[in-house]
Amino acid sequence: MARALVSAIKDQLSSLTTSEFTSIANVKGEVQKLESKFHTIQAVLNDAEKRQVKEEAVKLWLHKLKDVSYQIDDVLDEWNTAMIKAEIEKQQKDDKEKAETSSAAMKRKVWPPISVTNLVQHRVIGHKVKQLNEILDEIVKEGAMYKFVLTRDNEEVVERPRITTSFVDVSKILGRDKVRDDLVRILLGKCSEEEINPHVISLVGMGGIGKTALAQLVFNHYEVMVHFEKKWWICVSEPFDQCRVAKAIIQGFGGGDSDISELQSLLEKIRGLIEGRQIFLVFDDVWTEDFESWEPFKLALQNGASGSRILVTTRKRRVAQMIESVSMIDMKELSEADCWSVFSKLAFCDKNVEECKQLEDIGRKIAKKCRGLPLAAKTLGSLMRFKKGREEWEMVLCSSMWEFEDVERGLYASLLLSYYDLSSPLRKCFLFCAVFPKDYVFFSDELVFMWMAQGYIKSKKNVEIEIIARDYFENLAIRSFFQDFERDENNGKIKKCKMHDIVHDFAQLMSKDECFTINFNIGLEIDWKTARHLELEIPKGAQFPESIYSAKNLRTLILVNRSDYMLSTLFYHFTYLRILTLDFEFGGTIWNLPKWNLSDAVGNFIHLRYLNLVNYRGDALPETICNLCNLQILNIIIDGDKFQKLPQGMSKLINLRHFNLSFIYVDCLNVKFPRGFGRLTSLRTLRSFSVNGKDDGERCKLGELKNLNHLQGTLAIFGLGSEVDECEAMNAQLKKKISLHTLTLIFNEWDGEEIVREKDALVLNALEPPPNLEYLRIARYKAPIMFPTWMMSLTNLKELGIGRSSLECLPPLGKLPLLKSLKMWEMRRLKKLGVEFMGIEESEKKEKGDIIIPLFPNLISLSFGIFLYWEEWNEIEGEEDYIRRFIIMPRLQNLRIHYCDELKSLPNFLCTTPLQKLQISCCPILKERCKRRTGKDWHKISHIPNISINGIFVQSDGRECESEPE
């Protein structure tokens, strides 16, 4: 961590020496001294960080260095913030003199003219720099005593993994076939009458041996899944929080999120939920040896049916004995052959046959050092993928890190080798993860935004910082620092992941005294003075631990489960925060933030980059939040419908890159966006944008989107309707937002089925989206037709949704080449669905020949819902030779028709589609026509394997099934 800090500060100092401020404030000499000292220190840090593992004196020296480095970083940030604020003030002054300024939003490195106030401020900052220089002098002198070895500076990050095959599929349970089969046999076995219910089985073994992986395998085993009526996975870890575990069980068995805080009441609810049901529970990573903590669960779970099972994973044999395990399975180390197999699949996956032969002898020696631990083999195998040639492999084999032993029999040695192979920025990113609790589910986007907010990402010319940050994440993932990946179905990128317990323990060891995860019952006796990152969980009703106020230097505060304390009192103590998350998802709600002005405590949050408010219930944000000029990420999840407007001064947040405003129960329709919002030209994420209000003097118009051409991902626009005209819609220039892949267009609130608003067609036509759009949703559209000129140009469109509209006919969608999903709902005026929907052009009707024309060539899923007056679904008409030229929906798999009361029949072409599932509900005419064998439309659908009508299967997997509920 120290090496990474020093590197980042040295880069800042180099930039600062070129600033005109250093000469004005007469501190250029002091800044140059700092830069020189950091350059000297940087050359010895690689050796110092490795020696700290065994040498306590070196470790203490590094702590001093980190502390002063943090202080210098804060001072430099004060300096930069002063420059940004000066420019904002100048721009505001210009705005008063001019109706509109032509200057672009100010970037960080544009230095404004100096006022007397600013000059005094910078002299104060310069004095701080001088004081820190003196402190650093002493640290440099002390460092000379340790005679560190000079090493070559190696700060470059491999942004993109050098491996073309990316992730390698290595079986987590290699060599575990017998124990897997034995475990499945025990789970499915019959119980004797005298056997204790539920039957408890324990998997016991050291960390990294593969207990959780084996438990996951049997948990998802097909025979296990069909055998038990209900199964659920609970991660227990430390501490054994009885209420949290009880709530997790209740949630798993359909009891929802419980607000009950009394254990006895929770247990009674569990008893009721599982009564008479054959259940399977996994309690993963149990540590407590206290029988009194476990006994209430044992008694409550006895209410399940005979044959219920509990599987416990633990590192401690005494835990297995305490919970009275009927079966205990000791997890042994992998055989040498299996360990080599895990290692070699990763280490050699991108090397040719000749390279593998040259390195195999060294590789086998390295694999032996894994001592049969799957995690060690996986970690080292991932490390060796990046090593080329025998020399680099021999350096790993002969590393002094192998001398590091601990309770996990040397497992940390493999992690140390992988850790020290990382560049400094990647080390910072990895260690930051220690602030989260064990078994935490990381959302990749959330994590990389936090890394950005902390300043961990090393910028690169002409490359978006988000792209670099994402590459950091992929780099750590490919090195096995993360696991249990959940990927995006559309692009294959990792959305979620976890960190192995041992890897998490290692991260906490290496970030000791800086990163803390505190449950209210554990850790409050800690000395907080060195804390930089804190995740604090406080149960509702518990007293707030004022001892944490001594953590004056916090840069991250993630506060969970608290609602009735004074936020301003809390914020007063933490003025160096870069990240603030107030997460009340499981316990309370934020009713309002305090006034965030310069005279209040929170007004001192000049360093804040990341603000995340979860379950906010206020009616607005305080206007003075706009003083947070360094803010890069603003995420607000609204609980309730009281939220009305955003601050008028949001245009001052010139560094804002990601703004996510979302609602749990309603949409963003009635939120007033401020005029001037379009000045936030750094925005990359804007999830929602609302056009609200009839007064042109106050309304934020669509034209505010004109210059936000860096927008990426998803955008939803609310409030399109009578106040928005064609010209205003055109001013949005949506077609220039080429990085958007998802667009939602919501017109005004539905106000009656008889309403027809012809102007909506003109507005929709003017809102031309970017040509690369993949997902489009249009709702509350009140024109009778929808034929925008741009619709057929969306050749990359995969999903389309159209709902709550006054359409009398549907647009010609059949020619969209990549459309896979089409969902339509609440069409209150449409009566006929004809060939215009297929997209057949007039010229094609007249053509002759054998050319086959596919209509909806890639459509897989089609859904109609609440078409109240729809009567006819017409076929293509004409001569037989003409009809044969068209292939309709050749890939259709799923068809769903709901609440279409008047629909008289299904089209004949359905019998030529490869449909796998048909769902019809609340369609009385179709219900009669689709009766098995006797219905007039049965011949059109009889080939479909799965057919359900009103929730009852009439055909399942191709067989008659008249009684099975869906």
Side-chain angles (χ1 to χ4, degrees), residues 211-213 215-217 219 231-235 248 280-284 311 313 439 498:
K211 302 181 297 297
T212 299
Q216 287 172 339
L217 183 76
F219 185 79
K231 63 189 184 77
W232 194 245
W233 184 287
I234 300 104
C235 180
F280 174 38
L281 284 175
V282 176
F283 288 94
D284 185 42
L311 178 62
T313 72
D439 208 51
K498 289 186 178 182

Side-chain angles (χ1 to χ4, degrees), residues 8-33:
I9 292 170
K10 191 170 74 69
D11 290 344
Q12 291 184 65
L13 290 169
S14 297
S15 174
L16 192 59
T17 54
T18 63
S19 163
E20 66 180 77
F21 280 108
T22 52
S23 57
I24 293 173
N26 197 29
V27 293
K28 188 169 186 175
E30 295 296 332
V31 171
Q32 287 176 334
K33 288 178 186 177

Side-chain angles (χ1 to χ4, degrees), residues 195-212:
E195 186 175 294
I196 298 173
N197 187 57
H199 185 115
V200 180
I201 309 112
S202 291
L203 290 178
V204 184
M206 70 180 67
I209 200 71
K211 302 181 297 297
T212 299

Side-chain angles (χ1 to χ4, degrees), residues 496-657:
K496 302 177 186 178
C497 64
K498 289 186 178 182
M499 185 174 276
H500 192 283
D501 286 353
I502 296 294
V503 179
H504 184 270
D505 289 343
F506 174 75
Q508 287 191 321
L509 175 72
M510 299 303 290
S511 60
K512 189 179 179 182
D513 301 328
E514 288 198 18
C515 291
F516 295 93
T517 301
I518 304 300
N519 180 282
F520 183 71
N521 299 314
I522 283 189
L524 296 181
E525 71 286 350
I526 291 172
D527 182 359
W528 303 95
K529 292 179 182 178
T530 61
R532 304 288 175 175
H533 310 287
L534 171 64
E535 199 250 15
L536 181 63
E537 298 183 22
I538 307 175
K540 189 176 181 179
Q543 185 175 357
F544 189 84
E546 295 189 2
S547 59
I548 71 164
Y549 291 154
S550 62
K552 300 290 186 183
N553 298 311
L554 275 186
R555 290 182 163 220
T556 301
L557 177 60
I558 302 171
L559 190 59
V560 183
N561 289 18
R562 184 74 176 175
S563 61
D564 57 350
Y565 63 91
M566 294 297 293
L567 285 173
S568 57
T569 303
L570 174 66
F571 295 161
Y572 178 81
H573 294 84
F574 306 128
T575 58
Y576 294 105
L577 288 177
R578 265 69 171 171
I579 292 174
L580 174 61
T581 290
L582 302 176
D583 184 349
F584 299 89
E585 188 173 357
F586 303 107
T589 52
I590 310 171
W591 287 97
N592 263 311
L593 289 175
K595 298 297 181 182
W596 287 25
N597 55 45
L598 293 175
S599 62
D600 287 334
V602 180
N604 293 324
F605 278 2
I606 63 170
H607 305 284
L608 199 67
R609 265 78 169 169
Y610 180 106
L611 177 60
N612 182 26
L613 306 176
V614 182
N615 281 8
Y616 185 71
R617 300 195 71 182
D619 56 4
L621 292 175
E623 188 65 34
T624 46
I625 197 174
C626 303
N627 292 325
L628 306 177
C629 62
N630 281 311
L631 202 63
Q632 296 175 355
I633 297 101
L634 177 58
N635 182 48
I636 311 167
I637 300 176
I638 306 295
D639 179 8
D641 56 2
K642 295 181 179 180
F643 195 85
Q644 298 176 355
K645 65 179 182 178
L646 293 170
Q648 289 298 310
M650 279 194 75
S651 60
K652 294 192 289 184
L653 300 178
I654 60 174
N655 288 304
L656 195 64
R657 298 176 71 88

Side-chain angles (χ1 to χ4, degrees), residues 73-244:
D73 186 43
D74 290 334
V75 169
L76 295 180
D77 202 49
E78 286 180 44
W79 189 289
N80 193 55
T81 302
M83 292 187 284
I84 294 171
K85 287 188 174 182
E87 175 55 29
I88 292 172
E89 290 170 6
K90 179 179 179 295
Q91 193 168 359
Q92 287 179 320
K93 183 179 179 181
D94 291 344
D95 287 346
K96 289 181 181 179
E97 298 173 356
K98 302 176 184 178
E100 257 183 50
T101 180
S102 58
S103 62
M106 182 58 189
K107 303 300 180 184
R108 287 177 176 266
K109 294 186 179 179
V110 178
W111 315 124
I114 289 291
S115 67
V116 174
T117 304
N118 286 332
L119 184 58
V120 172
Q121 184 179 12
H122 285 291
R123 281 178 176 165
V124 171
I125 294 173
H127 179 66
K128 291 182 181 179
V129 172
K130 186 175 181 179
Q131 287 182 318
L132 290 169
N133 234 327
E134 293 170 357
I135 296 172
L136 195 60
D137 270 336
E138 296 301 317
I139 293 173
V140 172
K141 289 176 184 176
E142 183 182 344
M145 297 165 48
Y146 300 113
K147 299 180 180 179
F148 294 121
V149 176
L150 295 176
T151 55
R152 184 172 58 87
D153 185 19
N154 180 26
E155 293 301 312
E156 193 61 35
V157 178
V158 181
E159 282 91 1
R160 295 195 175 276
R162 292 172 283 181
I163 291 73
T164 56
T165 53
S166 190
F167 297 93
V168 179
D169 181 19
V170 177
S171 173
K172 295 179 180 178
I173 56 152
L174 201 63
R176 303 295 194 198
D177 292 351
K178 185 179 183 304
V179 68
R180 176 201 61 199
D181 294 342
D182 289 344
L183 183 52
V184 170
R185 194 178 303 113
I186 294 170
L187 290 173
L188 303 181
K190 292 183 179 180
C191 298
S192 59
E193 291 184 5
E194 65 275 5
E195 186 175 294
I196 298 173
N197 187 57
H199 185 115
V200 180
I201 309 112
S202 291
L203 290 178
V204 184
M206 70 180 67
I209 200 71
K211 302 181 297 297
T212 299
L214 180 60
Q216 287 172 339
L217 183 76
V218 298
F219 185 79
N220 295 302
H221 192 281
Y222 173 74
E223 292 183 53
V224 172
M225 292 176 70
V226 299
H227 181 81
F228 294 99
E229 185 177 346
K230 193 71 178 177
K231 63 189 184 77
W232 194 245
W233 184 287
I234 300 104
C235 180
V236 179
S237 295
E238 292 185 285
F240 188 88
D241 186 329
Q242 290 175 303
C243 287
R244 182 182 67 80

